[in-house]
Amino acid sequence: MAAGDEGAFELHLNNYSYGIESLGLEEVDNKVYRVSNRHSSLVNWAFASLYISSYVSSGFLAAFGWDNNKNSNIESRNRNFKRIIPDTEVFKKSGFSWGCQEKIYMANSNRIDVVHYTQSKVSNDNKGAFSLLEPFSNDSNSGKIISAGTAYFGVIVEYDESLTVLCSDQEIINFSEPVVRWRVYPRSIRYENHLHVIYEDRLEIYSFNHDYFIKQEDKILGIQYKKEITNKNNR
């Protein structure tokens, strides 16, 4: 949960499939933990970690890792907090950044920098955790960035007066009209290729189907699709 000046929080539910203790976090209420007191505008999962964006300051990764549960008689792992990693450590510079799963993005002038994130390599020195990919030119820049997000089919960037989809096949699609709200559904079963856009007077639903033909390991824009994941803890 991104809560602006209050920071970022996690609500721990009882149905976790792993140990619910996120060691090192402050419990501020029943099952509510403070991840960071830094300004937080948007938050999304990067596997066990969280990438948090800010309109006021800079983005950062709340890095978590999987540790063996030494207090259990059965083989299990706990998701434990490691540390806060600022965007300057990820990109070696600062800007508006966001991330989801294995990719983290930063928008600067007319290009978007892309970093591949490896959850299993998060440590104190982060050696190998962040790999810089080829930047993507974005000539559709049309003002201040309002919001951004990632789906399987590409990257969505909202500006003051428009919405842009940077597709995983590197096509750029512009919707030249200010939007009230938009949403993608990368964690759904049936709507992972949908973009829902609410305008002042209507709702429009767009379906993107090009990503089926993209080699997932090579794409720069969008979440990598995997049919089967044998070890969820080491993604």
PDB file of all heavy atoms in Angstrom, residues 7 20 28 36 49 55 61 67 79 82 101 108 125 133 150 154 159 166-167 170 177 197 232:
ATOM      1  N   GLY A   7       4.385   6.897   3.809  1.00  0.00           N
ATOM      2  CA  GLY A   7       5.288   5.819   3.425  1.00  0.00           C
ATOM      3  C   GLY A   7       4.585   4.681   2.722  1.00  0.00           C
ATOM      4  O   GLY A   7       3.543   4.871   2.094  1.00  0.00           O
ATOM      5  N   ILE A  20       4.790 -15.701   7.541  1.00  0.00           N
ATOM      6  CA  ILE A  20       4.277 -14.337   7.445  1.00  0.00           C
ATOM      7  C   ILE A  20       5.206 -13.320   8.091  1.00  0.00           C
ATOM      8  O   ILE A  20       4.966 -12.122   7.994  1.00  0.00           O
ATOM      9  CB  ILE A  20       2.868 -14.211   8.055  1.00  0.00           C
ATOM     10  CG1 ILE A  20       2.927 -14.323   9.585  1.00  0.00           C
ATOM     11  CG2 ILE A  20       1.935 -15.241   7.490  1.00  0.00           C
ATOM     12  CD1 ILE A  20       1.642 -13.915  10.250  1.00  0.00           C
ATOM     13  N   VAL A  28       2.866  -1.549  12.720  1.00  0.00           N
ATOM     14  CA  VAL A  28       2.207  -0.323  13.165  1.00  0.00           C
ATOM     15  C   VAL A  28       0.769  -0.566  13.600  1.00  0.00           C
ATOM     16  O   VAL A  28       0.165   0.278  14.257  1.00  0.00           O
ATOM     17  CB  VAL A  28       2.232   0.746  12.052  1.00  0.00           C
ATOM     18  CG1 VAL A  28       3.668   1.143  11.738  1.00  0.00           C
ATOM     19  CG2 VAL A  28       1.538   0.244  10.792  1.00  0.00           C
ATOM     20  N   SER A  36       8.519   1.295   4.512  1.00  0.00           N
ATOM     21  CA  SER A  36       9.422   2.442   4.437  1.00  0.00           C
ATOM     22  C   SER A  36       8.654   3.699   4.823  1.00  0.00           C
ATOM     23  O   SER A  36       7.430   3.773   4.636  1.00  0.00           O
ATOM     24  CB  SER A  36       9.978   2.592   3.014  1.00  0.00           C
ATOM     25  OG  SER A  36      10.706   3.800   2.887  1.00  0.00           O
ATOM     26  N   SER A  49      10.065  -8.877  -3.592  1.00  0.00           N
ATOM     27  CA  SER A  49      10.340  -7.485  -3.243  1.00  0.00           C
ATOM     28  C   SER A  49       9.215  -6.570  -3.724  1.00  0.00           C
ATOM     29  O   SER A  49       8.260  -7.015  -4.362  1.00  0.00           O
ATOM     30  CB  SER A  49      11.678  -7.053  -3.861  1.00  0.00           C
ATOM     31  OG  SER A  49      12.733  -7.868  -3.403  1.00  0.00           O
ATOM     32  N   TYR A  55       6.083  10.577  -6.838  1.00  0.00           N
ATOM     33  CA  TYR A  55       6.004  11.802  -7.632  1.00  0.00           C
ATOM     34  C   TYR A  55       6.770  12.943  -6.973  1.00  0.00           C
ATOM     35  O   TYR A  55       7.087  13.941  -7.615  1.00  0.00           O
ATOM     36  CB  TYR A  55       4.551  12.235  -7.794  1.00  0.00           C
ATOM     37  CG  TYR A  55       3.657  11.209  -8.424  1.00  0.00           C
ATOM     38  CD1 TYR A  55       2.436  10.874  -7.857  1.00  0.00           C
ATOM     39  CD2 TYR A  55       4.017  10.560  -9.600  1.00  0.00           C
ATOM     40  CE1 TYR A  55       1.596   9.934  -8.441  1.00  0.00           C
ATOM     41  CE2 TYR A  55       3.201   9.620 -10.182  1.00  0.00           C
ATOM     42  CZ  TYR A  55       1.991   9.310  -9.597  1.00  0.00           C
ATOM     43  OH  TYR A  55       1.176   8.369 -10.177  1.00  0.00           O
ATOM     44  N   LEU A  61      13.560   0.351  -4.369  1.00  0.00           N
ATOM     45  CA  LEU A  61      13.191  -1.057  -4.226  1.00  0.00           C
ATOM     46  C   LEU A  61      13.250  -1.423  -2.757  1.00  0.00           C
ATOM     47  O   LEU A  61      14.279  -1.216  -2.100  1.00  0.00           O
ATOM     48  CB  LEU A  61      14.142  -1.944  -5.017  1.00  0.00           C
ATOM     49  CG  LEU A  61      13.851  -3.448  -4.954  1.00  0.00           C
ATOM     50  CD1 LEU A  61      12.673  -3.806  -5.863  1.00  0.00           C
ATOM     51  CD2 LEU A  61      15.081  -4.265  -5.345  1.00  0.00           C
ATOM     52  N   ASP A  67      14.715 -16.737   3.121  1.00  0.00           N
ATOM     53  CA  ASP A  67      15.651 -17.378   4.040  1.00  0.00           C
ATOM     54  C   ASP A  67      15.033 -18.643   4.600  1.00  0.00           C
ATOM     55  O   ASP A  67      13.815 -18.713   4.834  1.00  0.00           O
ATOM     56  CB  ASP A  67      16.002 -16.432   5.197  1.00  0.00           C
ATOM     57  CG  ASP A  67      16.698 -15.169   4.712  1.00  0.00           C
ATOM     58  OD1 ASP A  67      17.449 -15.262   3.725  1.00  0.00           O
ATOM     59  OD2 ASP A  67      16.483 -14.098   5.317  1.00  0.00           O
ATOM     60  N   ARG A  79       9.922 -15.004   3.973  1.00  0.00           N
ATOM     61  CA  ARG A  79      10.221 -13.804   3.192  1.00  0.00           C
ATOM     62  C   ARG A  79      10.668 -12.724   4.164  1.00  0.00           C
ATOM     63  O   ARG A  79       9.878 -12.204   4.940  1.00  0.00           O
ATOM     64  CB  ARG A  79       8.980 -13.372   2.415  1.00  0.00           C
ATOM     65  CG  ARG A  79       9.097 -12.039   1.682  1.00  0.00           C
ATOM     66  CD  ARG A  79       7.811 -11.771   0.914  1.00  0.00           C
ATOM     67  NE  ARG A  79       7.754 -10.416   0.411  1.00  0.00           N
ATOM     68  CZ  ARG A  79       7.201  -9.394   1.071  1.00  0.00           C
ATOM     69  NH1 ARG A  79       6.670  -9.592   2.268  1.00  0.00           N
ATOM     70  NH2 ARG A  79       7.176  -8.192   0.536  1.00  0.00           N
ATOM     71  N   LYS A  82      15.344  -7.135   3.509  1.00  0.00           N
ATOM     72  CA  LYS A  82      16.794  -6.951   3.421  1.00  0.00           C
ATOM     73  C   LYS A  82      17.153  -5.483   3.637  1.00  0.00           C
ATOM     74  O   LYS A  82      17.754  -5.123   4.629  1.00  0.00           O
ATOM     75  CB  LYS A  82      17.303  -7.442   2.066  1.00  0.00           C
ATOM     76  CG  LYS A  82      17.035  -8.916   1.806  1.00  0.00           C
ATOM     77  CD  LYS A  82      17.711  -9.812   2.821  1.00  0.00           C
ATOM     78  CE  LYS A  82      17.488 -11.273   2.512  1.00  0.00           C
ATOM     79  NZ  LYS A  82      18.116 -12.166   3.504  1.00  0.00           N
ATOM     80  N   GLN A 101       7.781  -7.215 -11.299  1.00  0.00           N
ATOM     81  CA  GLN A 101       8.458  -8.482 -11.528  1.00  0.00           C
ATOM     82  C   GLN A 101       9.914  -8.271 -11.939  1.00  0.00           C
ATOM     83  O   GLN A 101      10.648  -7.636 -11.237  1.00  0.00           O
ATOM     84  CB  GLN A 101       7.677  -9.322 -12.537  1.00  0.00           C
ATOM     85  CG  GLN A 101       6.242  -9.645 -12.081  1.00  0.00           C
ATOM     86  CD  GLN A 101       6.180 -10.398 -10.766  1.00  0.00           C
ATOM     87  OE1 GLN A 101       6.349  -9.805  -9.707  1.00  0.00           O
ATOM     88  NE2 GLN A 101       5.909 -11.695 -10.823  1.00  0.00           N
ATOM     89  N   ASN A 108      13.435   9.246 -18.661  1.00  0.00           N
ATOM     90  CA  ASN A 108      14.268  10.437 -18.701  1.00  0.00           C
ATOM     91  C   ASN A 108      14.164  11.060 -20.082  1.00  0.00           C
ATOM     92  O   ASN A 108      14.493  10.408 -21.077  1.00  0.00           O
ATOM     93  CB  ASN A 108      15.729  10.098 -18.401  1.00  0.00           C
ATOM     94  CG  ASN A 108      15.990   9.956 -16.913  1.00  0.00           C
ATOM     95  OD1 ASN A 108      15.883  10.911 -16.164  1.00  0.00           O
ATOM     96  ND2 ASN A 108      16.305   8.746 -16.481  1.00  0.00           N
ATOM     97  N   ASP A 125      25.491  -6.489  -1.302  1.00  0.00           N
ATOM     98  CA  ASP A 125      26.201  -5.789  -2.366  1.00  0.00           C
ATOM     99  C   ASP A 125      25.448  -5.806  -3.691  1.00  0.00           C
ATOM    100  O   ASP A 125      25.851  -5.148  -4.653  1.00  0.00           O
ATOM    101  CB  ASP A 125      27.594  -6.389  -2.572  1.00  0.00           C
ATOM    102  CG  ASP A 125      27.544  -7.880  -2.917  1.00  0.00           C
ATOM    103  OD1 ASP A 125      26.444  -8.406  -3.159  1.00  0.00           O
ATOM    104  OD2 ASP A 125      28.623  -8.503  -2.946  1.00  0.00           O
ATOM    105  N   LEU A 133      19.597  -3.140 -19.463  1.00  0.00           N
ATOM    106  CA  LEU A 133      19.226  -3.571 -20.799  1.00  0.00           C
ATOM    107  C   LEU A 133      19.280  -2.382 -21.758  1.00  0.00           C
ATOM    108  O   LEU A 133      19.542  -1.252 -21.353  1.00  0.00           O
ATOM    109  CB  LEU A 133      17.822  -4.183 -20.788  1.00  0.00           C
ATOM    110  CG  LEU A 133      17.599  -5.374 -19.848  1.00  0.00           C
ATOM    111  CD1 LEU A 133      16.157  -5.859 -19.928  1.00  0.00           C
ATOM    112  CD2 LEU A 133      18.567  -6.510 -20.147  1.00  0.00           C
ATOM    113  N   THR A 150       3.207  -1.669 -15.811  1.00  0.00           N
ATOM    114  CA  THR A 150       3.741  -2.706 -16.680  1.00  0.00           C
ATOM    115  C   THR A 150       2.760  -3.855 -16.785  1.00  0.00           C
ATOM    116  O   THR A 150       2.140  -4.251 -15.797  1.00  0.00           O
ATOM    117  CB  THR A 150       5.079  -3.229 -16.125  1.00  0.00           C
ATOM    118  OG1 THR A 150       5.904  -2.139 -15.743  1.00  0.00           O
ATOM    119  CG2 THR A 150       5.808  -4.061 -17.164  1.00  0.00           C
ATOM    120  N   GLY A 154       3.362  -4.905 -22.576  1.00  0.00           N
ATOM    121  CA  GLY A 154       4.180  -3.717 -22.702  1.00  0.00           C
ATOM    122  C   GLY A 154       4.134  -2.816 -21.487  1.00  0.00           C
ATOM    123  O   GLY A 154       3.771  -3.244 -20.386  1.00  0.00           O
ATOM    124  N   TYR A 159       0.389  10.583 -19.277  1.00  0.00           N
ATOM    125  CA  TYR A 159       0.840  11.965 -19.226  1.00  0.00           C
ATOM    126  C   TYR A 159      -0.339  12.870 -18.867  1.00  0.00           C
ATOM    127  O   TYR A 159      -1.462  12.403 -18.668  1.00  0.00           O
ATOM    128  CB  TYR A 159       1.432  12.379 -20.578  1.00  0.00           C
ATOM    129  CG  TYR A 159       2.649  11.574 -20.981  1.00  0.00           C
ATOM    130  CD1 TYR A 159       2.521  10.503 -21.859  1.00  0.00           C
ATOM    131  CD2 TYR A 159       3.914  11.877 -20.494  1.00  0.00           C
ATOM    132  CE1 TYR A 159       3.636   9.757 -22.234  1.00  0.00           C
ATOM    133  CE2 TYR A 159       5.031  11.144 -20.870  1.00  0.00           C
ATOM    134  CZ  TYR A 159       4.884  10.082 -21.737  1.00  0.00           C
ATOM    135  OH  TYR A 159       5.981   9.351 -22.107  1.00  0.00           O
ATOM    136  N   LEU A 166       3.636   1.479 -24.795  1.00  0.00           N
ATOM    137  CA  LEU A 166       4.877   1.062 -25.451  1.00  0.00           C
ATOM    138  C   LEU A 166       4.840  -0.453 -25.507  1.00  0.00           C
ATOM    139  O   LEU A 166       5.120  -1.134 -24.523  1.00  0.00           O
ATOM    140  CB  LEU A 166       6.090   1.565 -24.665  1.00  0.00           C
ATOM    141  CG  LEU A 166       6.070   3.058 -24.315  1.00  0.00           C
ATOM    142  CD1 LEU A 166       7.211   3.409 -23.374  1.00  0.00           C
ATOM    143  CD2 LEU A 166       6.142   3.905 -25.566  1.00  0.00           C
ATOM    144  N   CYS A 167       4.456  -0.985 -26.637  1.00  0.00           N
ATOM    145  CA  CYS A 167       4.173  -2.418 -26.764  1.00  0.00           C
ATOM    146  C   CYS A 167       5.448  -3.261 -26.735  1.00  0.00           C
ATOM    147  O   CYS A 167       6.541  -2.778 -27.058  1.00  0.00           O
ATOM    148  CB  CYS A 167       3.414  -2.682 -28.061  1.00  0.00           C
ATOM    149  SG  CYS A 167       1.807  -1.852 -28.158  1.00  0.00           S
ATOM    150  N   GLN A 170       7.613  -3.239 -29.573  1.00  0.00           N
ATOM    151  CA  GLN A 170       8.209  -1.913 -29.742  1.00  0.00           C
ATOM    152  C   GLN A 170       7.361  -0.971 -30.601  1.00  0.00           C
ATOM    153  O   GLN A 170       7.831   0.090 -31.008  1.00  0.00           O
ATOM    154  CB  GLN A 170       9.644  -2.024 -30.267  1.00  0.00           C
ATOM    155  CG  GLN A 170      10.529  -2.831 -29.339  1.00  0.00           C
ATOM    156  CD  GLN A 170      12.006  -2.594 -29.520  1.00  0.00           C
ATOM    157  OE1 GLN A 170      12.423  -1.766 -30.303  1.00  0.00           O
ATOM    158  NE2 GLN A 170      12.809  -3.326 -28.775  1.00  0.00           N
ATOM    159  N   GLU A 177      -5.930  11.764 -25.419  1.00  0.00           N
ATOM    160  CA  GLU A 177      -7.061  12.307 -24.670  1.00  0.00           C
ATOM    161  C   GLU A 177      -6.785  12.064 -23.190  1.00  0.00           C
ATOM    162  O   GLU A 177      -6.347  10.976 -22.816  1.00  0.00           O
ATOM    163  CB  GLU A 177      -8.356  11.609 -25.086  1.00  0.00           C
ATOM    164  CG  GLU A 177      -9.601  12.143 -24.409  1.00  0.00           C
ATOM    165  CD  GLU A 177     -10.856  11.421 -24.878  1.00  0.00           C
ATOM    166  OE1 GLU A 177     -10.772  10.619 -25.833  1.00  0.00           O
ATOM    167  OE2 GLU A 177     -11.925  11.652 -24.284  1.00  0.00           O
ATOM    168  N   VAL A 197      -9.612   1.659 -19.750  1.00  0.00           N
ATOM    169  CA  VAL A 197      -9.412   3.106 -19.650  1.00  0.00           C
ATOM    170  C   VAL A 197     -10.754   3.788 -19.398  1.00  0.00           C
ATOM    171  O   VAL A 197     -11.708   3.603 -20.166  1.00  0.00           O
ATOM    172  CB  VAL A 197      -8.772   3.683 -20.933  1.00  0.00           C
ATOM    173  CG1 VAL A 197      -8.497   5.170 -20.756  1.00  0.00           C
ATOM    174  CG2 VAL A 197      -7.479   2.942 -21.284  1.00  0.00           C
ATOM    175  N   LYS A 232       9.032 -21.079  -6.956  1.00  0.00           N
ATOM    176  CA  LYS A 232       8.531 -19.716  -6.839  1.00  0.00           C
ATOM    177  C   LYS A 232       9.443 -18.849  -5.965  1.00  0.00           C
ATOM    178  O   LYS A 232       9.474 -17.646  -6.110  1.00  0.00           O
ATOM    179  CB  LYS A 232       7.128 -19.716  -6.250  1.00  0.00           C
ATOM    180  CG  LYS A 232       6.094 -20.363  -7.163  1.00  0.00           C
ATOM    181  CD  LYS A 232       4.716 -20.299  -6.553  1.00  0.00           C
ATOM    182  CE  LYS A 232       3.670 -20.910  -7.469  1.00  0.00           C
ATOM    183  NZ  LYS A 232       2.325 -20.868  -6.886  1.00  0.00           N
TER     184      LYS A 232
END
